[in-house]
C-alpha cells in the first residue's frame, strides 16, 4: 500500500514569508504528526492531529500551526519565516498511537 | 540531563559483525521504546518498538530494554553494508494520548565496512 507522501519535497523561501506544507497519510491512518529535523537539534516533535483535532503539541512557537482535514490529510503552516526555520519537515501517520508511526520523505525548507 | 541520550558516532564496523546501538533515558515513566533507521535524505523508517522491559527480535534485529538501568539497545546481527544509516531511538512521554509528545535521540551514524 502507498506510504506517507509529502509535498513539496523542496522549498526555498525568504525571511518573513509564510509557507504551507502538505502531508497525505497512509490509507486508514487517522493520526498525523509533524516533526522538524535539524543537524543541531535533531528530530523534534511539533504537533499531532487526530480526527481533525490537535491532540498533542511540542514546544514550538505559535508561528507553527497545522490542521487536518476530514480525509486525514494534513497541512502545516509556518508564518513569518526565520533563518532558523530551515530544516527537514517530516510528517508521520499512524492509526492513533505515537509508538507505531510511519514517516514520509520530508520537505526540505530553506529560508534565505 | 537530557531526557534521551544517544552517542552520535560515527560507529564503523566490518561487514558481518554484530552491532550494538544504545540509548539512555531519564524518565522512568517511558513505557514504549522505538528504533528508527534513517538513510541519508530520507524519512525515518520504523524498525521495531517494544513495550516495557525485555527483548524483541525481528530478523537480524533485536531490541532490548532494561528499565532498571534506563537503557535500551538495538543489536544488528550479520551486519550488511546496506545497514549503513543513522539509527534513532524514540520514546513517547506518556501512555496517554493527550498532552503527549515523543522524544527522539540525536541518532547514531553507523558505517558497515565491506
Amino acid at each position: 500500500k502507498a506510504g506517507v507522501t509529502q509535498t513539496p519535497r523542496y522549498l526555498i523561501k525568504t525571511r518573513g514569508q509564510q509557507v504551507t506544507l502538505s502531508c497525505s497519510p497512509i490509507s486508514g491512518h487517522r493520526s498525523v504528526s509533524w516533526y522538524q529535523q535539524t543537524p543541531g537539534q535533531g528530530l523534534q516533535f511539533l504537533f499531532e492531529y487526530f480526527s481533525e483535532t490537535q491532540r498533542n503539541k511540542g514546544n514550538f512557537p505559535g508561528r507553527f500551526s497545522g490542521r487536518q482535514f476530514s480525509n486525514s490529510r494534513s497541512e502545516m503552516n509556518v508564518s513569518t519565516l526565520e533563518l532558523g526555520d530551515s530544516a527537514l519537515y517530516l510528517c508521520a501517520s499512524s492509526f492513533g498511537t505515537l509508538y507505531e508511526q510511519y514517516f514520509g520523505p520530508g520537505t526540505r525548507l530553506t529560508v534565505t | 540531563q537530557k531526557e534521551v541520550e544517544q552517542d552520535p558516532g560515527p560507529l564503523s564496523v566490518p561487514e558481518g559483525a554484530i552491532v550494538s546501538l544504545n540509548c539512555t533515558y531519564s524518565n522512568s515513566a517511558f513505557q514504549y521504546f522505538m528504533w528508527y533507521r534513517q538513510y541519508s535524505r530520507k524519512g525515518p523508517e520504523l524498525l521495531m518498538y517494544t513495550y516495557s522491559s525485555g527483548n524483541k527480535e525481528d530478523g537480524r534485529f533485536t531490541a532490548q530494554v532494561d528499565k532498571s538501568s534506563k537503557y535500551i539497545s538495538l543489536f544488528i546481527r550479520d551486519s550488511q553494508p546496506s545497514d549503513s544509516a543513522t539509527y534513532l531511538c524514540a520514546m513517547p512521554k506518556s501512555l496517554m494520548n493527550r498532552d503527549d509528545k515523543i522524544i527522539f535521540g540525536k541518532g547514531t551514524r553507523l558505517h558497515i565496512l565491506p
Side-chain angles (χ1 to χ4, degrees):
Chain A
K1 71 183 166 184
V4 177
T5 58
Q6 292 186 245
T7 56
R9 293 294 311 279
Y10 303 91
L11 207 49
I12 299 174
K13 291 285 189 179
T14 55
R15 275 180 298 176
Q17 287 186 314
Q18 74 165 12
V19 67
T20 299
L21 312 181
S22 182
C23 172
S24 292
I26 291 171
S27 178
H29 284 186
R30 295 170 64 190
S31 166
V32 173
S33 296
W34 288 90
Y35 298 85
Q36 181 195 68
Q37 188 173 35
T38 60
Q41 299 299 317
L43 196 54
Q44 294 183 285
F45 175 75
L46 279 156
F47 34 66
E48 181 210 10
Y49 283 85
F50 182 83
S51 293
E52 302 179 64
T53 301
Q54 187 181 89
R55 186 164 68 171
N56 294 298
K57 191 176 188 304
N59 299 325
F60 277 81
R63 300 186 297 109
F64 293 82
S65 63
R67 60 178 175 167
Q68 187 180 33
F69 302 96
S70 58
N71 61 359
S72 293
R73 191 177 70 84
S74 178
E75 288 181 347
M76 188 190 86
N77 184 274
V78 188
S79 63
T80 319
L81 284 166
E82 300 176 359
L83 294 179
D85 296 334
S86 295
L88 180 67
Y89 289 89
L90 294 152
C91 82
S93 74
S94 78
F95 285 113
T97 66
L98 290 180
Y99 58 80
E100 193 174 4
Q101 293 188 314
Y102 298 88
F103 280 82
T107 294
R108 185 161 298 279
L109 172 66
T110 302
V111 182
T112 62
Chain B
Q1 182 183 11
K2 291 183 180 177
E3 289 189 283
V4 177
E5 302 221 43
Q6 187 174 12
D7 188 329
L11 177 63
S12 297
V13 300
E15 183 176 355
I18 295 174
V19 175
S20 172
L21 302 163
N22 311 294
C23 286
T24 58
Y25 62 95
S26 59
N27 190 336
S28 58
F30 291 160
Q31 295 282 3
Y32 282 91
F33 306 91
M34 298 92 78
W35 284 98
Y36 284 87
R37 175 175 64 192
Q38 186 173 22
Y39 292 114
S40 181
R41 311 190 81 78
K42 302 278 190 183
E45 171 193 0
L46 178 65
L47 288 173
M48 57 203 308
Y49 67 88
T50 53
Y51 173 69
S52 195
S53 286
N55 293 358
K56 184 175 182 179
E57 187 175 321
D58 184 359
R60 297 185 295 112
F61 299 89
T62 299
Q64 192 173 79
V65 175
D66 181 350
K67 293 199 74 183
S68 62
S69 302
K70 298 191 184 71
Y71 190 87
I72 67 170
S73 301
L74 177 71
F75 298 98
I76 307 175
R77 290 185 302 281
D78 187 26
S79 55
Q80 305 293 312
S82 59
D83 295 327
S84 298
T86 296
Y87 289 80
L88 303 110
C89 63
M91 303 155 203
K93 285 198 78 171
S94 76
L95 291 177
M96 306 297 289
N97 278 333
R98 287 193 177 277
D99 296 324
D100 199 1
K101 60 177 67 173
I102 183 168
I103 310 296
F104 278 82
K106 291 287 184 73
T108 298
R109 286 181 295 145
L110 174 66
H111 298 300
I112 306 298
L113 306 171

